Amino acid sequence: MTSTVDGSTAALTGDAPGPAAPAWRFGEFAEGLRQIGLGHMPHTEGMSGIPEVMMGGRKLVNFAPVNFLNLHSREDVMGVFTDAARTYGLATGGARISQGVTKPHVDMEAELCRILGKERAVGYATGLVANIGFIHGMSKSIKWTDGLEMDHSDVVFVYDRESHWSLWKAADHLKYGERLFSFKHNNAEDLEKVLQRLQGKRVVVVFESVYSLDGSVAPMHDIVDVCERYGALSFVDDANGFLVYGPAHRPFAEEYAGMLRSTFIMVSLKKAVGLEGGLIVGPSDPIFSLELLGMTSAFTAQVQPPTAATAAYAMRLLTQDEPKIVDNYLERVEKFRGLLSEEGVRLYPTPSIMTSLHVGSEEKGMRLKAKFLEHGYRIPIYVFPAAKKNNSVMRLILNASHTDEHIDGFMTLLRKFKGEFDL
Ligand SMILES: Cc1ncc(COP(=O)(O)O)c(C=O)c1O
């Protein structure tokens, strides 16, 4: 008799007894991934997400991390984390609905409300989970007891076409053309045309502030104006611009003033804050209802208490105590973009913190990545489904701790490969 393990494996390889079922084809797919250069999942030997990392026994200059302010390696930030771990422990002990939250969670959520001027916040384990929780809660129905129910089964969603994978994934259960619609990227006029056709329905408009791949920034006043004209709710995913943009003296201040008018805002802790987690802010009752409506806070974990404490600290640091961190960073990003422009490479036009270059086919992107790696540079190449098919992108997010030598080294390599890769 075959063991359970062998039996399960036999099903994968097609050797299982019984009538033949369609093959699983994992082997073929995995081989295909290896052939386009995605076979090796790198691991960092020391600290991760910093401008120089140890990988495979080599020191690499790292242009791939998204925690671009490098706060997580500051002594004071680490101190807050370790102190909170000792005071509040390493875990909440369960889901939000059963265990409640800890003081650091309350503090983190209050801090976010203060910054974004909203009434209430709810935290999730990641930004992706927050997006899924939101769309799920706003699109489904729940009945607790007679009279205590919420029916969202008629709600319609209108997405910017370039919205993040996590938002589209969250809407998998909604039929396109019935409950799910889209508008042309960053185009408030096209949104208006879609909303005109949906009058009389409850609508949620979903878009991002700064788009992950090309760094484009949404015309948020215009979009929110249209939402308000048609009585639609608005949801902005601000994973990328959170704590960077907003103040009047920084770029995109006008757009960010528009963002604050939206009904809901989602932020990720992965980028400027440099940790992991996601939160949604908005009006009090809808956010409170969402905690239970989406059930995303009932069946999963939230961020750990030390993460919450450190997130609150980082938010205060960047908005009140040391906002210069961001100002100095933005100045360096501008200079970096200037250097790339002088090289004449195909940069995406919006001068935000994403300094992205169009590369081309997946195969070309992977070859370019390998070339940089040979020379000790780790660069991020985004391929389908993060990018459009056959349109891989080198998405460069400068790190606040990259030195001039790191940047010079990168530019030298870029010059070297520019012709060969037609960049
Ligand atoms: C626009 C956008 N939304 C959501 C997410 C998911 O956030 P998280 O990594 O916190 O799950 C990302 C992540 O990069 C993102 O860029």
Side-chain angles (χ1 to χ4, degrees):
M1 201 175 124
T2 42
S3 75
T4 318
V5 172
D6 286 342
S8 324
T9 313
L12 277 176
T13 54
D15 296 330
W24 285 100
R25 302 182 59 205
F26 283 118
E28 224 176 286
F29 186 64
E31 184 51 29
L33 292 178
R34 282 189 281 273
Q35 276 181 14
I36 60 167
L38 287 170
H40 171 64
M41 188 64 70
H43 83 267
T44 320
E45 279 134 28
M47 197 184 278
S48 188
I50 52 173
E52 277 187 11
V53 284
M54 286 302 291
M55 285 182 156
R58 288 169 78 200
K59 194 197 273 181
L60 299 176
V61 177
N62 191 11
F63 270 78
V66 297
N67 38 8
F68 48 85
L69 296 178
N70 205 13
L71 290 187
H72 64 299
S73 60
R74 266 175 59 140
E75 275 305 316
D76 58 334
V77 174
M78 284 201 210
V80 172
F81 191 96
T82 49
D83 287 352
R86 302 221 172 270
T87 309
Y88 300 102
L90 295 181
T92 53
R96 195 175 174 95
I97 189 172
S98 60
Q99 290 293 319
V101 289
T102 66
K103 185 176 173 301
H105 290 88
V106 174
D107 194 22
M108 169 179 75
E109 290 168 13
E111 196 53 38
L112 186 65
C113 288
R114 179 191 68 76
I115 293 169
L116 296 177
K118 299 286 183 199
E119 288 173 358
R120 190 175 175 118
V122 55
Y124 297 84
T126 67
L128 176 145
V129 177
N131 280 346
I132 290 178
F134 178 80
I135 301 295
H136 183 76
M138 296 300 280
S139 61
K140 293 283 205 179
S141 306
I142 188 162
K143 182 169 179 176
W144 290 75
T145 56
D146 281 343
L148 183 54
E149 58 194 274
M150 183 74 98
D151 184 4
H152 283 164
S153 56
D154 62 327
V155 174
V156 168
F157 294 80
V158 182
Y159 276 36
D160 182 292
R161 284 191 192 153
E162 301 292 326
S163 294
H164 191 257
W165 182 88
S166 56
L167 289 162
W168 286 107
K169 190 71 213 159
D172 259 358
H173 61 296
L174 303 173
K175 189 162 178 213
Y176 194 83
E178 276 181 18
R179 294 193 59 201
L180 181 60
F181 297 82
S182 63
F183 62 100
K184 287 184 195 154
H185 180 48
N186 281 344
N187 188 326
E189 281 153 31
D190 195 50
L191 170 65
E192 177 147 22
K193 284 189 204 145
V194 179
L195 292 189
Q196 263 164 4
R197 298 203 306 271
L198 297 173
Q199 287 185 75
K201 292 188 185 292
R202 293 195 289 179
V203 178
V204 184
V205 173
V206 174
F207 58 103
E208 289 176 36
S209 50
V210 181
Y211 284 79
S212 307
L213 207 64
D214 65 1
S216 60
V217 177
M220 294 189 266
H221 270 306
D222 297 349
I223 292 179
V224 176
D225 279 347
V226 175
C227 291
E228 287 181 358
R229 254 200 316 280
Y230 288 84
L233 302 184
S234 43
F235 174 90
V236 188
D237 175 333
D238 188 31
N240 294 311
F242 176 51
L243 297 176
V244 174
Y245 299 119
H249 64 284
R250 295 200 187 136
F252 310 115
E254 172 69 10
E255 287 85 344
Y256 264 71
M259 184 184 82
L260 297 181
R261 292 171 51 215
S262 70
T263 326
F264 301 100
I265 303 171
M266 191 289 280
V267 303
S268 166
L269 300 178
K270 193 173 73 176
K271 311 229 168 153
V273 173
L275 297 164
E276 264 110 37
L279 296 104
I280 299 178
V281 284
S284 186
D285 281 349
I287 292 289
F288 173 53
S289 305
L290 264 177
E291 291 183 35
L292 299 178
L293 256 181
M295 284 290 152
T296 322
S297 56
F299 289 103
T300 187
Q302 49 198 327
V303 296
Q304 294 155 298
T307 298
T310 313
Y313 179 80
M315 287 186 215
R316 281 190 282 272
L317 193 67
L318 297 180
T319 55
Q320 293 181 328
D321 301 337
E322 290 185 47
K324 272 273 164 220
I325 293 175
V326 182
D327 294 321
N328 295 339
Y329 174 69
L330 288 174
E331 248 175 56
R332 296 196 71 212
V333 172
E334 197 182 330
K335 281 199 195 125
F336 182 53
R337 174 172 277 272
L339 289 176
L340 288 158
S341 300
E342 279 166 26
E343 289 303 323
V345 288
R346 279 182 282 168
L347 278 183
Y348 285 93
T350 311
S352 65
I353 50 169
M354 314 294 178
T355 313
S356 297
L357 264 96
H358 179 263
V359 177
S361 73
E362 284 78 11
E363 182 274 329
K364 188 171 157 191
M366 288 302 125
R367 256 192 313 121
L368 181 62
K369 184 175 172 169
K371 285 273 187 189
F372 269 89
L373 202 55
E374 269 171 34
H375 292 79
Y377 274 70
R378 213 175 152 235
I379 55 154
I381 296 286
Y382 284 73
V383 295
F384 177 81
K388 292 200 172 76
K389 273 197 185 125
N390 222 16
N391 276 290
S392 65
V393 171
M394 187 198 294
R395 187 187 75 177
L396 297 165
I397 308 183
L398 190 73
N399 194 288
S401 303
H402 275 137
T403 62
D404 288 346
E405 290 72 44
H406 293 150
I407 296 174
D408 290 347
F410 173 83
M411 292 306 299
T412 304
L413 292 175
L414 190 73
R415 248 170 253 132
K416 184 176 162 85
F417 301 136
K418 189 180 136 195
E420 181 186 342
F421 285 85
D422 185 27
L423 296 172

